[in-house]
Amino acid sequence: MGEIRYIDTRGTVKEPVSFTEAVVHGLAPGGGLFVPESVPELTLDGICALADLPYAQRAARVYRSFGVDLTDAQLEAITTAAYGDNFDDEAICPMTPLPDDVYMLELWHGPTSAFKDMALQCLPRFFSTSAAELRQRGLLSDEHMILVATSGDTGKAALEGFCDVDGVSIGVMYPDGGVSDIQFKQMATQRGGNVRVWGVRGNFDDCQTGAKTVFDDDAFARELHERFGIALSSANSINWGRLMPQIVYYISAYAQLVSDGKVERGAQIDVCVPTGNFGNILAAYYARRMGTPIRRLLCASNENRVLTDFINTGTYDISDRTFVKTPSPSMDILVSSNLERQLFELTGRDADAIAGWMADLKAKRCFKVDRDTFAGMRELYAADSVDNAECLTAIRETFERTGYLMDPHTAVAYKVAEHLREDGVPVVIASTAHWAKFGNNVYRALHAIALDEDLPAEVAALTGCELNKLIASETGATGIPAGLAELDDLPIRFTEVIDGNAEAIKEAVCAFLGHSS
Ligand SMILES: *Cc1c(COP(=O)(O)O)cnc(C)c1O
């Protein structure tokens, strides 16, 4: 298969770039996102044949279909290292069947217990291999610093993926006070000589907007180049090298369901995804476009329901929306960056339309898509949101009915799937975190304690790890992942809190680079 090159959603890249360049640059120069020039298609045979391969080879085969400019040997080295015994299940992302043709696609068996590992065990390997290639071709001289804005889960998964990778350092910003005790400790205790973590005063959107501004700052890029020999790049789901690995598990899940005799070959399934930055569900969209028989993409939101409203009305409006805290913080997002890629595809790749809408969003905090785009979206998507109380109730009721314990993000999707699915169509739910990452809210759910009520004093006094043990003993749940169980025993390395504006972020970046060089 020939090489597929990459264009960007705002039409600023005049000469399409290779996969390796798209991975190393992360974001296109004008702020657009890279997408492949053409989307490859797989036959039903090709899809179903994946079931005969181990997951690493399923991934390699899908990557190969995207014509990446890496050799077979390089791809195999990347996927075997990315999807091996760093996961605690041989299937990498096994599916657990629940009653009523519901299948939990468990994307949290990796080292940090969230679905981000599915991509972030792979992206750093793409990144260092790609950077080495570009250096060899004389296209690159600088080393890199990865700058990540996280609502919690990405940060840890990126730190774990990039820690001690050659030629790369990584800085992670998370909203101070906006992540769970477990998430905080996962990041603050991160090992590795090339890592730094900052709390930011503000919410996730402040972090993300700050990061984007810093990425777009040409003068700052020159300064980093001259002072440190460093170029910035991103591991956020705006990087194509992060999105592509996520496509694999939807195709793979379909193949597995057919192979296990749960779904008739060629029959359609629904996929329901708890959505924040729109990366995970966009991967399901690409899986569908590549030929996976997916009937509809069910987009699940929490109380920050801007995406649900957008899919239902065609207007994306955050001019009068306040940011709500929910039990599913990784979906607490107002600006969903990857939606831009979806709109690009829906408009038949109209970069001018995208540039216009994104300018409206920046200026008026609102944009409205045209009728055709809206109609196209309605054919692909259905969307609904779940409020905080309903989410917690779903965790308890599902546990009582089936014995399966869900994290709050997964619970949002479970509930939305119940609302939107069609009879007789099996539904695959993207289960995005192990419950023990969000033990506090799982405890509330199991004991019917509302979010605004105090926990009993003796429970409130427990650390996240201790609380997880309590939940495990009460529910009989086994297997708290090792990476979560040991957190109380590790030293806290990072406690710095900075402002969320671009100046403060730039200062922190320079201090880190100056210190580590
Ligand atoms: C990141 C995350 C999500 C949202 O995924 P997007 O790709 O940003 O839409 C949902 N659940 C969990 C647990 C996450 O970590």
Side-chain angles (χ1 to χ4, degrees), residues 114-116 153 274-280 330-331 407 409 432-433 438:
F115 99 94
K116 306 291 194 286
D153 291 339
T275 297
N277 226 347
F278 213 77
N280 201 2
S330 297
M331 300 157 70
D407 100 286
H409 304 76
T432 50
F438 300 95

Side-chain angles (χ1 to χ4, degrees), residues 419-490:
H419 296 165
L420 296 180
R421 67 181 295 196
E422 199 164 275
D423 272 353
V425 180
V427 55
V428 167
I429 293 180
S431 175
T432 50
H434 190 281
W435 63 262
K437 267 203 103 160
F438 300 95
N440 190 302
N441 290 319
V442 170
Y443 185 88
R444 287 178 181 280
L446 294 171
H447 291 265
I449 302 170
L451 286 172
D452 55 4
E453 279 176 66
D454 288 335
L455 288 173
E458 69 279 11
V459 176
L462 299 176
T463 66
C465 294
E466 292 164 344
L467 181 57
N468 283 340
K469 278 191 210 148
L470 175 64
I471 296 169
S473 72
E474 286 179 353
T475 58
T478 51
I480 295 177
L484 298 182
E486 71 185 11
L487 283 174
D488 283 351
D489 304 329
L490 301 177

Side-chain angles (χ1 to χ4, degrees), residues 9-22:
T9 49
R10 298 192 198 172
T12 44
V13 175
K14 295 302 170 215
E15 230 354 83
V17 303
S18 64
F19 172 81
T20 47
E21 288 170 299

